[in-house]
Amino acid sequence: MAIASLHEAILSSIVRRNQLTQEIAEFQSQKMLLAYSQGDIQGLMLSEETEIRNEYKELFDCNPDEYENYTDYTEIPDFEEAIERITAKYNSQLEDLSVWETMIDNQITTCSAEQKELEAYTDSYKKMLSDGISNDFNYAGGGGKKSV
């Protein structure tokens, strides 16, 4: 009966370990999607910043009299504000993704720790099962007396 219980414990540990492996793989897939999302957001931010730069550069180049007090289009007061708005908008999204990444990392760590714990239990169960079977076969039925 004890052997059956150990065998069942081993099998349930293996099933749970496989479930954890699947969960870790899913979390890693989410992390990969997250990296793509971060790249997309950074690309959008760069694209919008470039658009703003081109717009202000064109204003500066087309209206030299209006902007004669400035040496460069980046000195136009509204330029910095426009860039800061874009940066703030996308940094907020990047921060949200960073929080999500931290949560995924925590889940992966938790699953990995549980997986290692299950492996230790499984090894222990296997040893108990092996020792139990070994003891059953070594039992001579003589009450444990040695023959001289």
Side-chain angles (χ1 to χ4, degrees):
M1 189 66 170
I3 291 175
S5 295
L6 286 173
H7 191 354
E8 185 177 336
I10 291 169
L11 291 177
S12 63
S13 293
I14 290 171
V15 168
R16 180 62 185 145
R17 187 186 69 211
N18 291 340
Q19 289 172 341
L20 289 169
T21 300
Q22 179 66 30
E23 287 178 27
I24 290 170
E26 289 171 6
F27 287 131
Q28 288 171 336
S29 294
Q30 288 178 7
K31 211 170 164 185
M32 187 180 306
L33 289 173
L34 183 130
Y36 288 131
S37 296
Q38 287 173 330
D40 287 345
I41 289 172
Q42 289 170 343
L44 287 171
M45 182 171 69
L46 182 61
S47 174
E48 283 191 34
E49 284 179 356
T50 301
E51 186 177 317
I52 293 292
R53 287 180 188 284
N54 291 339
E55 181 181 321
Y56 276 89
K57 185 173 183 183
E58 186 176 326
L59 277 174
F60 183 78
D61 291 342
C62 292
N63 301 318
D65 295 335
E66 187 177 341
Y67 299 109
E68 66 185 25
N69 295 336
Y70 304 110
T71 57
D72 190 28
Y73 70 94
T74 59
E75 295 176 349
I76 299 172
D78 294 341
F79 172 77
E80 280 300 319
E81 185 180 312
I83 293 293
E84 286 174 7
R85 258 194 327 271
I86 291 169
T87 303
K89 172 182 157 184
Y90 287 108
N91 278 344
S92 172
Q93 293 176 10
L94 289 170
E95 286 172 8
D96 291 345
L97 289 177
S98 179
V99 168
W100 185 32
E101 183 177 21
T102 301
M103 290 170 54
I104 290 172
D105 285 338
N106 290 342
Q107 289 291 342
I108 289 172
T109 301
T110 301
C111 288
S112 294
E114 185 178 347
Q115 200 174 33
K116 287 178 184 172
E117 186 177 324
L118 279 171
E119 287 173 9
Y121 283 136
T122 303
D123 290 344
S124 173
Y125 295 149
K126 286 178 182 178
K127 179 151 177 38
M128 284 190 280
L129 184 61
S130 175
D131 290 348
I133 291 172
S134 206
N135 288 341
D136 287 349
F137 282 109
N138 289 335
Y139 180 69
K145 295 182 183 178
K146 293 184 180 178
S147 56
V148 183

